[in-house]
Amino acid sequence: MPDDNAREGGQPPEGPSLLERNRALEEWLRWQLGQVQKQFRDLEEQERAALRWKIQQKTPTSPALLHRGDCGLYEARIGFIDWEYAVVAAAMPDIEPCEACRPDIGLGQD
């Protein structure tokens, strides 16, 4: 049975060897694994953010707003508060709940 990797006349095949192709495949699979692991980290962060709250500072034209941690209307990477502080903030008259994410529902304040 002839060797599929050999050309007529016993010359080596053109192109990358089987070893080189497998190394390239390994490199690509490592890259793919890194992409999946990054996706896991991003999804875990989203889950953690959904269990936290954040307060958007008062401005001259709008009151302070309480948001769920995953609310897209106020992007904050720091300054998250836990459930107890969020309950206190929701009860404060000068802090209003965001109408989009409705943090008061998650706090049992609905």
Side-chain angles (χ1 to χ4, degrees):
M1 175 178 266
D3 182 2
D4 290 339
N5 288 329
R7 290 181 24 205
E8 284 185 35
Q11 295 178 351
E14 292 182 19
S17 70
L18 185 58
L19 178 61
E20 292 169 325
R21 289 189 306 241
N22 276 288
R23 284 192 174 139
L25 176 61
E26 177 189 29
E27 183 178 328
W28 180 79
L29 289 171
R30 287 181 192 275
W31 178 83
Q32 285 285 67
L33 178 60
Q35 295 299 305
V36 170
Q37 290 170 333
K38 181 185 180 308
Q39 183 72 20
F40 279 137
R41 288 189 301 274
D42 292 347
L43 291 170
E44 288 167 346
E45 176 58 32
Q46 288 174 12
E47 283 185 2
R48 282 191 299 276
L51 299 175
R52 298 182 289 184
W53 290 263
K54 53 192 174 183
I55 299 175
Q56 182 176 354
Q57 292 184 354
K58 176 182 170 181
T59 67
T61 58
S62 65
L65 293 174
L66 179 64
H67 296 271
R68 289 179 184 265
D70 59 350
C71 180
L73 294 181
Y74 178 58
E75 296 292 332
R77 296 279 182 215
I78 60 171
F80 290 99
I81 58 176
D82 65 15
W83 182 85
E84 290 176 356
Y85 286 110
V87 169
V88 171
M92 297 179 77
D94 56 337
I95 298 178
E96 296 180 12
C98 171
E99 291 183 14
C101 68
R102 300 292 315 268
D104 47 331
I105 293 173
L107 296 171
Q109 306 285 314
D110 49 342

